[in-house]
Amino acid sequence: MAPRRKTEDELTKNQIIEAAKKLFAEKGYHQVSMRSLARELGCSHGAIYYHFPNKAAVFTAFIESGFQLLNARLTAVMEETSLTKEEKLIELFRRFLTFGIEYPHHYEAMFHLKDDELRHTVHASYESFQLFGEAIQNLSVKPVSQRDAWSCLFALHGFVSFFQRRGQTVQELKVMIDHHAQFLAGSLQ
C-alpha cells in the first residue's frame, strides 16, 4: 500500500483528472482501474474514492474539464470588444481548431466517445454545442440554421481529427488553421 500523503500534499480532483488523462490516453478507458490510477498518483485507491464514486465519474470529470477549457476559449472570443463580427467568427473557428490540436487527449475523449456505457454521463457537450451554435448565429451576417451550425462543427471536427493523427503542432498548422477558419467564416457571410 502507498504511504499516506501529508496534509500539505493532499490529493485534489485536478491531480486525479490529470493522472487519469495520462492513463486513459495510454491505455484506454477499460484498461484503467481505480487501483492503477492510485498507483500512478502514489496514493491509496480510497483517496480517489473520497473525490469520485467510480471510474466513470473520473472519466466524466476529465471530459467536462475539456469542455470547460473549450467553452472558456469560445466565451473569450464573444467577449472581445476590439473585433468585428466577422473577425470574431474567424477567431471562434480558429480557437476551436487550436483547442483540438493543443489538447488531443481531451478532444479525443470529448468527440470520439464510442462507449455507450459513458455517453449518457456527459452533459457538458450539450452546453458547449449550444454555446457554439449560438455564437455562430450571432456572428453571421446571414441567417444561420441549426443545420448550418452543425455543418460548421463537423467541418472543424474533420480538420482536427485529420491533423491530430499526423501529430503536427498548432505552430506547424498555423497557415492551414487560418485558412480553414477564414473559409468557413466566408461561407456564413
Side-chain angles (χ1 to χ4, degrees):
M1 183 185 313
R4 170 87 170 96
R5 290 176 172 258
K6 296 178 193 167
T7 306
E8 66 270 8
D9 193 28
E10 286 296 319
L11 189 64
T12 66
K13 282 187 172 189
N14 285 339
Q15 288 171 321
I16 296 168
I17 292 168
E18 283 302 308
K21 172 177 75 172
K22 178 182 176 221
L23 288 179
F24 289 140
E26 289 173 0
K27 299 179 179 186
Y29 175 79
H30 290 290
Q31 302 307 315
V32 175
S33 68
M34 294 294 261
R35 288 188 186 278
S36 65
L37 184 53
R39 273 192 302 278
E40 179 72 23
L41 288 162
C43 68
S44 71
H45 65 281
I48 299 172
Y49 282 111
Y50 175 78
H51 294 285
F52 297 100
N54 54 43
K55 179 174 69 168
V58 174
F59 189 78
T60 299
F62 164 58
I63 291 175
E64 287 175 349
S65 71
F67 279 111
Q68 288 169 358
L69 287 168
L70 177 59
N71 290 350
R73 287 179 177 212
L74 302 181
T75 300
V77 171
M78 296 306 290
E79 293 172 351
E80 180 60 52
T81 58
S82 67
L83 300 176
T84 66
K85 280 186 163 188
E86 182 181 2
E87 291 168 333
K88 281 185 180 184
L89 188 58
I90 292 168
E91 189 60 25
L92 184 82
F93 293 153
R94 190 179 287 128
R95 293 213 188 160
F96 183 96
L97 294 169
T98 58
F99 171 83
I101 301 300
E102 287 176 347
Y103 295 96
H105 301 308
H106 275 97
Y107 193 90
E108 179 77 19
M110 291 162 58
F111 293 99
H112 294 279
L113 187 60
K114 297 175 188 152
D115 196 320
D116 288 334
E117 173 189 340
L118 300 169
R119 270 200 191 136
H120 73 281
T121 65
V122 181
H123 301 287
S125 62
Y126 302 113
E127 294 171 21
S128 192
F129 296 151
Q130 184 174 349
L131 176 68
F132 182 78
E134 288 172 2
I136 290 174
Q137 290 171 331
N138 290 334
L139 297 174
S140 180
V141 172
K142 67 181 187 179
V144 175
S145 69
Q146 186 176 23
R147 192 178 297 169
D148 292 339
W150 277 104
S151 290
C152 288
L153 180 62
F154 296 145
L156 294 166
H157 175 65
F159 180 99
V160 171
S161 296
F162 178 78
F163 284 107
Q164 267 188 345
R165 288 188 207 126
R166 297 180 65 153
Q168 292 173 282
T169 67
V170 169
Q171 192 59 35
E172 293 170 328
L173 293 171
K174 184 175 179 355
V175 171
M176 289 297 297
I177 288 170
D178 290 344
H179 175 76
H180 197 60
Q182 290 170 8
F183 176 79
L184 283 177
S187 73
L188 299 173
Q189 301 303 326

